[in-house]
Amino acid sequence: MNRSTKEVALGILPPPLLSNESNIKAYRSQAAFYDATLGIVFAQGRRRALEVLAPQAGERVLEVGVGTGLSLPLYPPGLKLTGIDLSPEMLHRAERRVLGRPGIQLLQMDAQAMNFPDGSFDKAAAMYISSVVPDPAAMLRELNRVVRPGGLILILNHFSDPASLMSRCEILLQPLTRRLGFHPYFPLQLFLQSTGFVPERVESVKPFGYWTLLAGRAKPATSKA
Ligand SMILES: C[S@@+](CC[C@H](N)C(=O)[O-])C[C@H]1O[C@@H](n2cnc3c(N)ncnc32)[C@H](O)[C@@H]1O
């Protein structure tokens, strides 16, 4: 089937595919200037995400796509905090940021296929990674598996509004998807349908309300499907 922009926009076809390989390459190039660019743009959202996540001493918390670790100083002490990322270059910067801080483990790992046993965490955060991973449904399945049933899963991302003018620009950017390292056009409805994630909280996040925070609970294993 031929891929047309209109079909992609309508959600009939998936947008141009990202791969782990293309992401590793994209974030290898971005790592050196990430903190001074997107790192700053995303700062308010990260702070809000941490308020909603409200990690408590003693909790086991996972952050997937931890990047250069800009969120790590926002977590209180006394947690068992694990951050994973696919990009060695991004992760290396995160490691330098938290050097010597106890209770933090950083691992190179794919958020779509994690090595943790079921129910390993009380809470998990995925900030600005849902439109980055090639298979968001696989990432959500994994988050649902590694967070204990009833534990909090927090997603922070930009989601496109197909009715908006902005989404037309995002569609125009789709040919650059691999280089950007994320899907510029990423409708919320498609995300929720494809992942089965049922948020109990949906909140617009600054700057400009362009990003959305979703918070929901990990389902018991029996109702995973
Ligand atoms: C836009 S950055 C967000 C980084 C960080 N969360 C922040 O708030 O700045 C997306 C991150 O997701 C990572 N990533 C991409 N694919 C991944 C995967 N399959 N598993 C884990 N991390 C991945 C990238 O390497 C990059 O560090």
Side-chain angles (χ1 to χ4, degrees):
M1 199 190 313
N2 284 335
R3 182 188 293 276
S4 82
T5 303
K6 192 171 171 206
E7 284 171 319
V8 170
L10 289 171
I12 295 164
L13 289 176
L17 289 183
L18 291 167
S19 66
N20 280 352
E21 291 68 31
S22 70
N23 279 336
I24 287 173
K25 201 170 159 199
Y27 286 95
R28 180 179 301 137
S29 327
Q30 291 186 30
F33 56 88
Y34 183 87
D35 289 2
T37 53
L38 285 180
I40 294 175
V41 177
F42 293 160
Q44 281 178 300
R46 266 187 230 105
R47 280 198 294 275
R48 180 63 191 141
L50 261 291
E51 283 170 11
V52 174
L53 195 68
Q56 306 295 314
E59 282 183 333
R60 304 159 302 165
V61 179
L62 170 68
E63 187 178 322
V64 296
V66 69
T68 61
L70 287 166
S71 60
L72 296 175
L74 304 176
Y75 288 91
L79 300 174
K80 289 181 185 156
L81 180 57
T82 302
I84 67 162
D85 202 283
L86 197 61
S87 160
E89 289 81 8
M90 296 289 275
L91 209 50
H92 181 58
R93 284 173 161 75
E95 281 160 0
R96 283 203 310 226
R97 197 180 301 279
V98 294
L99 211 59
R101 204 181 131 181
I104 301 182
Q105 168 179 233
L106 295 173
L107 302 167
Q108 188 186 1
M109 198 184 291
D110 183 353
Q112 303 156 113
M114 293 189 251
N115 293 333
F116 306 117
D118 297 1
S120 295
F121 301 98
D122 300 300
K123 294 177 177 174
M127 300 187 228
Y128 312 109
I129 178 179
S130 297
S131 57
V132 169
V133 288
D135 186 351
M139 184 180 81
L140 262 292
R141 262 197 311 278
E142 279 292 84
L143 285 172
N144 202 57
R145 181 184 70 75
V146 302
V147 173
R148 65 165 169 78
L152 190 65
I153 298 177
L154 184 144
I155 309 286
L156 174 60
N157 214 82
H158 166 61
F159 295 102
S160 309
D161 171 3
S164 71
L165 272 181
M166 183 57 88
S167 74
R168 295 193 192 175
C169 303
E170 293 162 0
I171 289 166
L172 289 176
L173 285 175
Q174 288 197 127
L176 298 178
T177 296
R178 281 175 170 256
R179 193 171 301 173
L180 292 170
F182 60 89
H183 291 121
Y185 181 71
F186 195 65
L188 178 60
Q189 210 49 40
L190 278 185
F191 174 77
L192 295 178
Q193 274 166 17
S194 64
T195 60
F197 186 60
V198 182
E200 58 189 34
R201 176 183 201 132
V202 179
E203 183 183 317
S204 290
V205 168
K206 291 177 185 169
F208 318 121
Y210 189 67
W211 288 270
T212 303
L213 187 151
L214 309 173
R217 301 275 159 196
K219 295 182 226 157
T222 45
S223 59
K224 255 183 193 174

